[in-house]
Amino acid sequence: MALIKYSGNRFGTELDQLINQFLGDNVASETQTINSIRPRVDIFETEKTYQLFLEIPGVKKEDIDLKIDQNVLTIKAERKKAQLQDPHKSHRVESHFGIYERSFTLSDDLLADSIHAKYEDGILKLEITKKVEKPFKKTITVS
């Protein structure tokens, strides 16, 4: 029962390859738009859920968009550049601005309609409930 298969990016690392090897082919693929910022994600599994923690600092809650289309969960958020009212001269601007985007294909063992999202202190927490598989039991009488 897996959530995601990380298919790597154009600048894959050895750690990414190890993660892929550990997760195996049983998990789904991930995509991203070229001109977007790829937020870092931590993924944890509990007995009943998967929990994803995405780093999207400096984004307002209303600028976060979550969608599911054909079993692909897409997280998109925009960090807008601050506009100062007074004329100013910039000496250095190192802040990242733009669109954060990350997509994950949900595996069949998840309830796509049971995703809960909470945004606090620059971290978007998603909790996805697993389907409960009831063990098949049957008493067979011998005739």
Side-chain angles (χ1 to χ4, degrees), residues 42 58 94 113 116:
D42 295 330
E94 294 183 354
D113 59 347
H116 300 283

Side-chain angles (χ1 to χ4, degrees), residues 42-46 49-53 125-128:
D42 295 330
I43 302 171
F44 300 95
E45 180 178 3
T46 68
T49 65
Y50 283 96
Q51 296 176 349
L52 286 74
F53 296 85
K125 177 186 177 185
L126 301 174
E127 189 169 84
I128 308 171

Side-chain angles (χ1 to χ4, degrees), residues 41-96:
V41 64
D42 295 330
I43 302 171
F44 300 95
E45 180 178 3
T46 68
E47 186 178 323
K48 297 179 181 180
T49 65
Y50 283 96
Q51 296 176 349
L52 286 74
F53 296 85
L54 287 96
E55 295 179 4
I56 49 175
V59 173
K60 295 179 183 176
K61 187 181 348 180
E62 54 270 9
D63 292 333
I64 299 172
D65 186 32
L66 300 171
K67 290 185 180 177
I68 298 175
D69 185 21
Q70 297 183 357
N71 231 28
V72 175
L73 170 64
T74 301
I75 300 108
K76 202 173 196 178
E78 184 174 4
R79 181 172 181 193
K80 298 174 182 169
K81 188 174 182 178
Q83 298 295 324
L84 300 178
Q85 299 299 327
D86 298 327
H88 63 283
K89 180 178 179 181
S90 297
H91 290 275
R92 181 180 296 210
V93 178
E94 294 183 354
S95 300
H96 291 280

Side-chain angles (χ1 to χ4, degrees), residues 1-5 27-28 43 50 52 105-107 109-110 128:
M1 290 189 206
L3 171 67
I4 301 161
K5 177 182 179 188
V27 283
I43 302 171
Y50 283 96
L52 286 74
T105 302
L106 302 177
S107 63
D109 67 333
L110 300 175
I128 308 171

